[in-house]
Amino acid sequence: MDPDAVAKAFVEHYYTTFDANRAGLANLYQEGSMLTFEGQKIQGSQNIVAKLTSLPFQQCQHNITTVDCQPSGAGGMLVFVSGTLQLAGEQHALKFSQMFHLMPTAQGSFYVLNDIFRLNYA
Amino acid sequence: MEEQVDLVGKAFVDHFYHLFDNDRPALSSLYQPTSMLTFEGQKIQGVDDITAKLNQLPFDQCRHEISTIDSQPCSFTGGIVVFVSGSLQLPGEEHHLRFSQMFHLIPMLQGSFFVQNDIFRLNYG
């Protein structure tokens, strides 16, 4: 499958899950996964999902503007995303950038090994 | 106390943008034939084509100011991913351009790193 198509499919799945069922992100991370969220470092699927489900908003909607991907070697894929994040009740959407380093799973899908998220302030 | 990977990430970022802003052709020392750059959606492969692209950008002078640097180790590649955000000032332009960039650095035998993957995006709006 075309790597760009794989990256787009992953990004769609990730943010759809984030926006509809944040706890469902657990199966996209593993024990060795790392998230840096606005400078805070978190390691391992459980801790990462705990962080994401405890973010101070119930509902959100990600709108993706750009998706760039490149193979990282070792079968992995780097994906660089920019977009906006609309929180319920907030007038203005937040702009963000995020990078994922995906690794293949035995079942033929991908999990997130490295994840770095930053809001883009004006 | 800063972790090793953060120190490496910061040192690399300082070096990269110092070269970019002061001696752009010297960036060729940081890429190899297997390196990949995606610059505003345009995909370029290999040190020669990447260096050509960067040297041909439509400005002679620029200054990068870095706002954030986040680094993580990659257990499978032995490398480091570095995620940067900041602004780019071009001479004669009133407003800075904001950008985000990610690097995947691979260690070399001499203890330094080269850029295997590089993705650059301006942040509009």
Side-chain angles (χ1 to χ4, degrees):
Chain A
M1 202 177 160
D2 162 34
D4 288 309
V6 171
K8 283 210 170 85
F10 171 82
V11 164
E12 252 181 53
H13 177 63
Y14 182 89
Y15 292 110
T16 303
T17 307
F18 196 114
D19 295 347
N21 171 28
R22 233 178 294 168
L25 292 170
N27 58 21
L28 295 178
Y29 297 94
Q30 293 192 3
E31 203 51 47
S33 298
M34 282 166 280
L35 166 64
T36 306
F37 190 92
E38 280 287 284
Q40 185 191 349
K41 298 185 200 193
I42 301 132
Q43 178 135 11
S45 177
Q46 266 191 311
N47 293 325
I48 289 171
V49 174
K51 169 67 184 179
L52 296 177
T53 53
S54 68
L55 289 172
F57 49 86
Q58 298 277 11
Q59 281 184 300
C60 65
Q61 202 200 353
H62 290 81
N63 286 303
I64 303 312
T65 313
T66 65
V67 178
D68 294 304
C69 74
Q70 293 177 3
S72 66
M77 192 182 310
L78 293 160
V79 183
F80 190 64
V81 180
S82 74
T84 63
L85 178 55
Q86 180 71 61
L87 303 183
E90 295 283 331
Q91 193 183 77
H92 299 290
L94 300 167
K95 298 175 81 66
F96 75 92
S97 296
Q98 187 157 16
M99 66 135 277
F100 300 99
H101 185 194
L102 307 180
M103 280 289 158
T105 64
Q107 300 84 352
S109 63
F110 285 89
Y111 78 95
V112 180
L113 175 64
N114 304 97
D115 180 348
I116 304 179
F117 175 90
R118 278 283 180 187
L119 292 170
N120 296 145
Y121 298 104
Chain B
M1 194 178 81
E2 260 185 315
E3 287 173 36
Q4 184 65 23
V5 73
D6 293 308
L7 294 170
V8 172
K10 282 211 172 89
F12 169 81
V13 163
D14 276 348
H15 182 57
F16 180 90
Y17 293 109
H18 175 80
L19 287 183
F20 199 116
D21 296 348
N22 294 287
D23 186 3
R24 222 180 302 166
L27 287 172
S28 61
S29 63
L30 297 178
Y31 297 94
Q32 296 214 343
T34 57
S35 299
M36 279 167 280
L37 164 65
T38 306
F39 190 92
E40 281 286 285
Q42 184 191 352
K43 298 187 201 197
I44 302 136
Q45 176 130 16
V47 53
D48 292 339
D49 289 351
I50 290 170
T51 312
K53 171 67 183 178
L54 297 177
N55 284 322
Q56 287 160 19
L57 290 171
F59 48 85
D60 287 329
Q61 280 185 302
C62 65
R63 192 161 60 97
H64 291 80
E65 278 183 34
I66 303 312
S67 307
T68 65
I69 306 171
D70 294 303
S71 304
Q72 290 180 2
C74 302
S75 41
F76 290 92
T77 64
I80 296 176
V81 285
V82 184
F83 189 66
V84 181
S85 74
S87 64
L88 178 54
Q89 180 74 62
L90 303 183
E93 296 284 330
E94 194 182 288
H95 299 290
H96 294 218
L97 298 168
R98 302 193 66 78
F99 74 92
S100 296
Q101 187 158 14
M102 62 139 285
F103 302 96
H104 177 210
L105 308 179
I106 301 288
M108 299 197 284
L109 289 173
Q110 306 88 334
S112 60
F113 288 81
F114 78 91
V115 179
Q116 171 63 15
N117 304 93
D118 179 347
I119 304 179
F120 174 89
R121 278 283 181 187
L122 293 170
N123 298 142
Y124 296 104

